Amino acid sequence: MTKLKPRLSLLGIGVFAVLLLGVAPVVLTDHWLGNLGKYCCWAIAAVGIGLAWGRGGMLVMGQGVFFALGAYSMAMHLTLESAGDGVPGFMVLYDPLAPLPAFWEPFRSPAFTLAAVVLLPVIAAGILGFALFKRRVKGAYFAILTQALTVALATLISSTIRETGGDTGLSDFKYFFGFVLNDPANRTLVYLIAAGLLVVCLLVVWQLYRSRFGELLVATRDAEERVRFLGYDPANIKLVAFVISALMASIAGAMFVPIVGIITPAEIGAAASILMIAGVALGGRASLFGPALGAMAVGWGQSSLGSAWPDGWTYILGLLFVVVILFFPKGLSSVLGRFTAARRSPGERPPAAVSAEATAAPELEGVKA
């Protein structure tokens, strides 16, 4: 795999930040700025998937679980903030005299809510990843297990109508940590927070890719047994990437709630998790910007084309991915690399890449040294 050019990548992040934080709030209407904020949330989750899947080789098809942990933590706080000292309205409909469930009460605190957004996915992903990676569960089995957990969580939330709103979900949020959400200035502020978090996630992943950990992660993906023979535990390496990916998904879910104004099981289920994977595959899972741009493109298609042509959008998405898999298996980000390589003269072209199996040991010995 071609190594990222650090300065060029950092410059790209800077340009991306200027476009999101400086240009977009000026040129876009409130409607499109809100949509862009929603796409930024999906892009945050996609950046984490790119780290775990693109660099670590873990097909994480259950990111809906961690997206839900962040989303419902934030939604519960915003619901209680809107209800004041009372009980949320949807609970009163089923039982006017019912008290607030005990697990809701701590979410009245903003500090506890923010801590839950960060700690819940880290703990859950740490326990799940430790159990799976230490038993060397990988490939299709890992993907199926993670997606099964997503389906189970979505089903559980759908069945707990009195506690979580069921299929109707949680909505009608009026405040965001004291700021009135109906105020356009405050909605712009929420968008800027989401866009800023996306830029921060890109910076974190950029640093990880060029670090020793990033080299070990790629080596684990390509030659796991050689990594083990050289004294490293691949399970620990994959666990770190998995936990970081889960944390990014939770942050994405937490920001999705005030921007969209609703969270339901449909936003966290198997279909939503597959859509996240689809965006990463479209953009290019192993690149820095590919997952984010791919997720934003798929989000735009779902919001625009999907609302205008609900039946046709599914076929368009399917056709798009068939074309990408056949002609651009590394995603659309590989098109630029092909174009650059095609412009080089034959004498300037780099030699054919040696297989990862043959080069993993020397690279790792340098890392270990």
Side-chain angles (χ1 to χ4, degrees):
M1 180 182 296
T2 304
K3 292 184 178 180
L4 290 172
K5 296 180 180 179
R7 292 183 180 178
L8 185 60
S9 300
L10 190 59
L11 178 62
I13 295 175
V15 172
F16 197 55
V18 170
L19 291 175
L20 287 178
L21 300 174
V23 177
V26 176
V27 301
L28 295 180
T29 63
D30 292 341
H31 170 74
W32 282 108
L33 195 64
N35 280 345
L36 183 58
K38 180 171 61 174
Y39 308 153
C40 286
C41 294
W42 285 330
I44 292 172
V47 170
I49 294 174
L51 175 67
W53 182 31
R55 292 300 175 111
M58 298 169 282
L59 182 54
V60 284
M61 298 189 69
Q63 292 302 88
V65 171
F66 310 113
F67 191 90
L69 291 177
Y72 273 89
S73 295
M74 181 63 71
M76 290 163 66
H77 172 73
L78 298 186
T79 300
L80 292 173
E81 195 174 16
S82 300
D85 296 331
V87 178
F90 75 91
M91 294 183 183
V92 176
L93 291 176
Y94 295 102
D95 187 354
L97 301 179
L100 185 71
F103 71 92
W104 272 72
E105 194 63 42
F107 288 95
R108 291 188 184 276
S109 168
F112 180 88
T113 301
L114 294 177
V117 169
V118 174
L119 296 179
L120 285 180
V122 170
I123 295 172
I127 295 174
L128 176 63
F130 184 85
L132 295 179
F133 298 140
K134 288 296 183 180
R135 289 169 175 77
R136 302 187 185 182
V137 177
K138 55 185 177 180
Y141 299 103
F142 177 80
I144 292 171
L145 281 171
T146 54
Q147 190 171 52
L149 289 175
T150 302
V151 175
L153 180 60
T155 303
L156 175 64
I157 293 176
S158 296
S159 63
T160 53
I161 301 176
R162 296 186 179 183
E163 292 80 13
T164 64
D167 290 330
T168 305
L170 301 177
S171 59
D172 194 25
F173 310 120
K174 298 178 182 178
Y175 304 100
F176 178 73
F177 295 98
F179 294 93
V180 180
L181 279 175
N182 287 334
D183 189 341
N186 293 336
R187 296 191 67 83
T188 301
L189 176 63
V190 174
Y191 160 78
L192 290 174
I193 295 173
L197 287 171
L198 173 57
V199 173
V200 170
C201 289
L202 285 171
L203 286 171
V204 169
V205 172
W206 170 78
Q207 180 61 36
L208 289 175
Y209 282 0
R210 59 194 294 266
S211 67
R212 178 178 298 183
F213 170 78
E215 295 179 2
L216 282 170
L217 186 61
V218 173
T220 301
R221 179 198 66 190
D222 294 339
E224 184 172 329
E225 291 303 319
R226 294 199 175 208
V227 173
R228 184 175 287 108
F229 292 153
L230 288 169
Y232 295 98
D233 188 351
N236 293 337
I237 298 170
K238 292 194 288 187
L239 179 61
V240 172
F242 184 59
V243 169
I244 294 174
S245 175
L247 176 58
M248 290 185 181
S250 178
I251 293 173
M255 293 309 304
F256 181 88
V257 169
I259 290 175
V260 178
I262 187 172
I263 185 66
T264 67
E267 303 290 349
I268 65 167
S273 297
I274 292 174
L275 201 64
M276 295 179 193
I277 291 289
V280 175
L282 174 65
R285 59 180 179 170
S287 64
L288 178 62
F289 293 100
L293 296 178
M296 296 176 82
V298 171
W300 173 83
Q302 184 187 34
S303 299
S304 301
L305 300 179
S307 59
W309 193 20
D311 297 330
W313 161 242
T314 304
Y315 295 106
I316 293 174
L317 184 62
L319 177 62
L320 179 62
F321 284 106
V322 168
V323 172
V324 169
I325 291 172
L326 288 177
F327 299 102
F328 309 105
K330 294 183 180 180
L332 295 180
S333 62
S334 64
V335 176
L336 180 60
R338 291 188 180 186
F339 177 76
T340 304
R343 294 189 60 185
R344 293 174 180 165
S345 62
E348 294 175 337
R349 292 185 182 179
V354 184
S355 64
E357 189 70 22
T359 59
E363 289 183 1
L364 281 172
E365 288 174 359
V367 172
K368 191 173 182 179

